[in-house]
Amino acid sequence: MQLRYLLLFSLFASLLFLACDDDDGPVAVPPVYDDTPYILSYGSFPVPRLPEDNQLTEQKVLLGRMLFHETMLSKDGSQACASCHLQADGFSDSRRFSIGVEGLPGNRQAMPVFNMAWHTNQFFWDGRANLLRDQALKPIQDPLEMNETLENVITKLSDSKMYRDQFIRAYDSEEITEEKLALALEQFMFSIVSNQSKYDRYLAGEIELSESEERGLLLFEGEYNPFFPEASGADCFHCHGGKNFENDRYANNGLDIDADFTDLGRGNVTQNPADRAKFKVPSLRNVGITAPYMHDGRFQTLEQVIDHYNQGIKSSSTLDPTLENTRETGLFLTPQDKTDLINFLHTLTDEVMMSEPAYQSPF
């Protein structure tokens, strides 16, 4: 709580605070470099392996937050990163495809931005960005998104005293560069943590799950069993396990047969035929508020998603082996099973993150 107010104070009070001069009247206090470490609160999560060359500081995280909400990053000043990664929607976009400054739709559904500090297998659906700092700059330059040049962005930000001063606080220099932009955005996105859901409070022994939610949890963690259908689980945990409910892998989850592949996903990056139609396995945290689903947003509801895994898996040359095992019989889920599973998935919604002031626009 104290850090939250410190960040707000640093942005507003330090920019506006005036020191009095006996001869000339009020004069602005010059910005001062501040490398105070940012304390990342991650609860029971494993210690994140943050880049050694970009350790979090309060002022760099604040600068990244300003940039994340800054519309000057777009060609016409109408969009910011936050325009397609809305906090109330789990830092995702409720539209199937985000609409860029030119009125054109993107090619894929916008992935949520939280718990990025625990991603270890690149970024974007296809993993084309090796580091989060690499990912940060691509939407700015994408013609389907913000459609701006980094040169223009730097020019616009350099004309702002507010940004020149904040770069001094963060980097001890008012010079604005592509690298500093990327590193600051990376820092802010690393600071967005989701670990205060109902399920987290349940694990901490603070609350109980409902009977339906508990049944859903058992299904989620249960193994597929073709020999005893009445005891078979939903087999979710193989791909969506651990604290962040993902597995740091790319997978083909049976959306299309080979002939219907229109997006090769990871295969376009690696040029390996074995990666065709494979996409980054997303976290299921906040899945109840991050519709639509899949890389192409084809499913609007969790009911549709569960129906897909229950009876809709399509065979292809790169289908994940775990899903191939369940394809012929399905998961044997009853209507009540589906309801219970969905009720459990809603316990992964982090309402604290959705309203956390430290992630909101500082302007």
PDB file of all heavy atoms in Angstrom, residues 114-125:
ATOM      1  N   PHE A 114      -0.371 -10.245 -17.695  1.00  0.00           N
ATOM      2  CA  PHE A 114      -0.163 -10.348 -16.258  1.00  0.00           C
ATOM      3  C   PHE A 114       0.726 -11.562 -16.005  1.00  0.00           C
ATOM      4  O   PHE A 114       0.830 -12.472 -16.827  1.00  0.00           O
ATOM      5  CB  PHE A 114      -1.485 -10.481 -15.479  1.00  0.00           C
ATOM      6  CG  PHE A 114      -2.333 -11.662 -15.866  1.00  0.00           C
ATOM      7  CD1 PHE A 114      -2.047 -12.939 -15.400  1.00  0.00           C
ATOM      8  CD2 PHE A 114      -3.423 -11.510 -16.704  1.00  0.00           C
ATOM      9  CE1 PHE A 114      -2.815 -14.031 -15.759  1.00  0.00           C
ATOM     10  CE2 PHE A 114      -4.197 -12.594 -17.080  1.00  0.00           C
ATOM     11  CZ  PHE A 114      -3.893 -13.860 -16.600  1.00  0.00           C
ATOM     12  N   ASN A 115       1.405 -11.551 -14.882  1.00  0.00           N
ATOM     13  CA  ASN A 115       2.332 -12.636 -14.506  1.00  0.00           C
ATOM     14  C   ASN A 115       3.370 -12.899 -15.590  1.00  0.00           C
ATOM     15  O   ASN A 115       3.846 -14.027 -15.761  1.00  0.00           O
ATOM     16  CB  ASN A 115       1.574 -13.917 -14.169  1.00  0.00           C
ATOM     17  CG  ASN A 115       0.747 -13.785 -12.903  1.00  0.00           C
ATOM     18  OD1 ASN A 115       0.869 -12.798 -12.176  1.00  0.00           O
ATOM     19  ND2 ASN A 115      -0.096 -14.766 -12.634  1.00  0.00           N
ATOM     20  N   MET A 116       3.741 -11.847 -16.298  1.00  0.00           N
ATOM     21  CA  MET A 116       4.742 -11.999 -17.358  1.00  0.00           C
ATOM     22  C   MET A 116       6.113 -12.371 -16.795  1.00  0.00           C
ATOM     23  O   MET A 116       6.944 -12.938 -17.499  1.00  0.00           O
ATOM     24  CB  MET A 116       4.849 -10.707 -18.175  1.00  0.00           C
ATOM     25  CG  MET A 116       3.519 -10.154 -18.685  1.00  0.00           C
ATOM     26  SD  MET A 116       2.670 -11.287 -19.783  1.00  0.00           S
ATOM     27  CE  MET A 116       3.357 -10.816 -21.353  1.00  0.00           C
ATOM     28  N   ALA A 117       6.329 -12.069 -15.534  1.00  0.00           N
ATOM     29  CA  ALA A 117       7.608 -12.386 -14.908  1.00  0.00           C
ATOM     30  C   ALA A 117       7.840 -13.885 -14.782  1.00  0.00           C
ATOM     31  O   ALA A 117       8.958 -14.322 -14.523  1.00  0.00           O
ATOM     32  CB  ALA A 117       7.690 -11.732 -13.527  1.00  0.00           C
ATOM     33  N   TRP A 118       6.783 -14.676 -14.984  1.00  0.00           N
ATOM     34  CA  TRP A 118       6.916 -16.129 -14.873  1.00  0.00           C
ATOM     35  C   TRP A 118       6.809 -16.825 -16.231  1.00  0.00           C
ATOM     36  O   TRP A 118       6.694 -18.039 -16.289  1.00  0.00           O
ATOM     37  CB  TRP A 118       5.874 -16.681 -13.896  1.00  0.00           C
ATOM     38  CG  TRP A 118       6.196 -16.299 -12.490  1.00  0.00           C
ATOM     39  CD1 TRP A 118       6.999 -16.965 -11.611  1.00  0.00           C
ATOM     40  CD2 TRP A 118       5.761 -15.121 -11.796  1.00  0.00           C
ATOM     41  NE1 TRP A 118       7.087 -16.288 -10.430  1.00  0.00           N
ATOM     42  CE2 TRP A 118       6.338 -15.150 -10.508  1.00  0.00           C
ATOM     43  CE3 TRP A 118       4.932 -14.049 -12.138  1.00  0.00           C
ATOM     44  CZ2 TRP A 118       6.112 -14.153  -9.560  1.00  0.00           C
ATOM     45  CZ3 TRP A 118       4.708 -13.058 -11.207  1.00  0.00           C
ATOM     46  CH2 TRP A 118       5.304 -13.109  -9.931  1.00  0.00           C
ATOM     47  N   HIS A 119       6.858 -16.047 -17.314  1.00  0.00           N
ATOM     48  CA  HIS A 119       6.876 -16.640 -18.648  1.00  0.00           C
ATOM     49  C   HIS A 119       8.329 -16.902 -19.040  1.00  0.00           C
ATOM     50  O   HIS A 119       9.153 -15.990 -19.017  1.00  0.00           O
ATOM     51  CB  HIS A 119       6.233 -15.702 -19.674  1.00  0.00           C
ATOM     52  CG  HIS A 119       4.743 -15.657 -19.579  1.00  0.00           C
ATOM     53  ND1 HIS A 119       3.920 -15.932 -20.637  1.00  0.00           N
ATOM     54  CD2 HIS A 119       3.912 -15.389 -18.539  1.00  0.00           C
ATOM     55  CE1 HIS A 119       2.656 -15.822 -20.266  1.00  0.00           C
ATOM     56  NE2 HIS A 119       2.626 -15.491 -18.988  1.00  0.00           N
ATOM     57  N   THR A 120       8.614 -18.116 -19.440  1.00  0.00           N
ATOM     58  CA  THR A 120      10.003 -18.461 -19.784  1.00  0.00           C
ATOM     59  C   THR A 120      10.123 -18.993 -21.210  1.00  0.00           C
ATOM     60  O   THR A 120      11.180 -19.522 -21.564  1.00  0.00           O
ATOM     61  CB  THR A 120      10.544 -19.517 -18.807  1.00  0.00           C
ATOM     62  OG1 THR A 120       9.730 -20.703 -18.867  1.00  0.00           O
ATOM     63  CG2 THR A 120      10.550 -18.990 -17.375  1.00  0.00           C
ATOM     64  N   ASN A 121       9.079 -18.861 -22.011  1.00  0.00           N
ATOM     65  CA  ASN A 121       9.158 -19.395 -23.376  1.00  0.00           C
ATOM     66  C   ASN A 121       8.704 -18.373 -24.414  1.00  0.00           C
ATOM     67  O   ASN A 121       7.848 -18.609 -25.237  1.00  0.00           O
ATOM     68  CB  ASN A 121       8.320 -20.672 -23.516  1.00  0.00           C
ATOM     69  CG  ASN A 121       6.819 -20.416 -23.373  1.00  0.00           C
ATOM     70  OD1 ASN A 121       6.407 -19.522 -22.646  1.00  0.00           O
ATOM     71  ND2 ASN A 121       6.009 -21.187 -24.084  1.00  0.00           N
ATOM     72  N   GLN A 122       9.277 -17.207 -24.358  1.00  0.00           N
ATOM     73  CA  GLN A 122       9.043 -16.147 -25.316  1.00  0.00           C
ATOM     74  C   GLN A 122       7.624 -15.554 -25.174  1.00  0.00           C
ATOM     75  O   GLN A 122       6.884 -15.919 -24.272  1.00  0.00           O
ATOM     76  CB  GLN A 122       9.279 -16.617 -26.767  1.00  0.00           C
ATOM     77  CG  GLN A 122      10.700 -17.054 -27.077  1.00  0.00           C
ATOM     78  CD  GLN A 122      10.982 -18.485 -26.686  1.00  0.00           C
ATOM     79  OE1 GLN A 122      10.157 -19.374 -26.905  1.00  0.00           O
ATOM     80  NE2 GLN A 122      12.147 -18.733 -26.117  1.00  0.00           N
ATOM     81  N   PHE A 123       7.290 -14.646 -26.098  1.00  0.00           N
ATOM     82  CA  PHE A 123       6.052 -13.888 -25.980  1.00  0.00           C
ATOM     83  C   PHE A 123       5.347 -13.795 -27.332  1.00  0.00           C
ATOM     84  O   PHE A 123       5.949 -14.021 -28.369  1.00  0.00           O
ATOM     85  CB  PHE A 123       6.365 -12.489 -25.429  1.00  0.00           C
ATOM     86  CG  PHE A 123       6.988 -12.548 -24.055  1.00  0.00           C
ATOM     87  CD1 PHE A 123       8.365 -12.626 -23.914  1.00  0.00           C
ATOM     88  CD2 PHE A 123       6.204 -12.573 -22.919  1.00  0.00           C
ATOM     89  CE1 PHE A 123       8.949 -12.707 -22.658  1.00  0.00           C
ATOM     90  CE2 PHE A 123       6.781 -12.661 -21.650  1.00  0.00           C
ATOM     91  CZ  PHE A 123       8.152 -12.727 -21.526  1.00  0.00           C
ATOM     92  N   PHE A 124       4.080 -13.432 -27.292  1.00  0.00           N
ATOM     93  CA  PHE A 124       3.115 -13.526 -28.388  1.00  0.00           C
ATOM     94  C   PHE A 124       2.655 -14.989 -28.523  1.00  0.00           C
ATOM     95  O   PHE A 124       3.291 -15.910 -28.022  1.00  0.00           O
ATOM     96  CB  PHE A 124       3.678 -13.031 -29.730  1.00  0.00           C
ATOM     97  CG  PHE A 124       3.893 -11.548 -29.814  1.00  0.00           C
ATOM     98  CD1 PHE A 124       5.173 -11.039 -29.960  1.00  0.00           C
ATOM     99  CD2 PHE A 124       2.838 -10.653 -29.771  1.00  0.00           C
ATOM    100  CE1 PHE A 124       5.389  -9.671 -30.053  1.00  0.00           C
ATOM    101  CE2 PHE A 124       3.042  -9.282 -29.868  1.00  0.00           C
ATOM    102  CZ  PHE A 124       4.316  -8.795 -30.005  1.00  0.00           C
ATOM    103  N   TRP A 125       1.556 -15.170 -29.218  1.00  0.00           N
ATOM    104  CA  TRP A 125       1.001 -16.513 -29.425  1.00  0.00           C
ATOM    105  C   TRP A 125       2.016 -17.443 -30.093  1.00  0.00           C
ATOM    106  O   TRP A 125       2.029 -18.648 -29.846  1.00  0.00           O
ATOM    107  CB  TRP A 125      -0.255 -16.443 -30.278  1.00  0.00           C
ATOM    108  CG  TRP A 125      -1.498 -15.998 -29.581  1.00  0.00           C
ATOM    109  CD1 TRP A 125      -2.126 -14.792 -29.676  1.00  0.00           C
ATOM    110  CD2 TRP A 125      -2.293 -16.783 -28.672  1.00  0.00           C
ATOM    111  NE1 TRP A 125      -3.258 -14.763 -28.884  1.00  0.00           N
ATOM    112  CE2 TRP A 125      -3.381 -15.972 -28.261  1.00  0.00           C
ATOM    113  CE3 TRP A 125      -2.193 -18.076 -28.180  1.00  0.00           C
ATOM    114  CZ2 TRP A 125      -4.368 -16.433 -27.372  1.00  0.00           C
ATOM    115  CZ3 TRP A 125      -3.172 -18.530 -27.292  1.00  0.00           C
ATOM    116  CH2 TRP A 125      -4.238 -17.720 -26.904  1.00  0.00           C
TER     117      TRP A 125
END
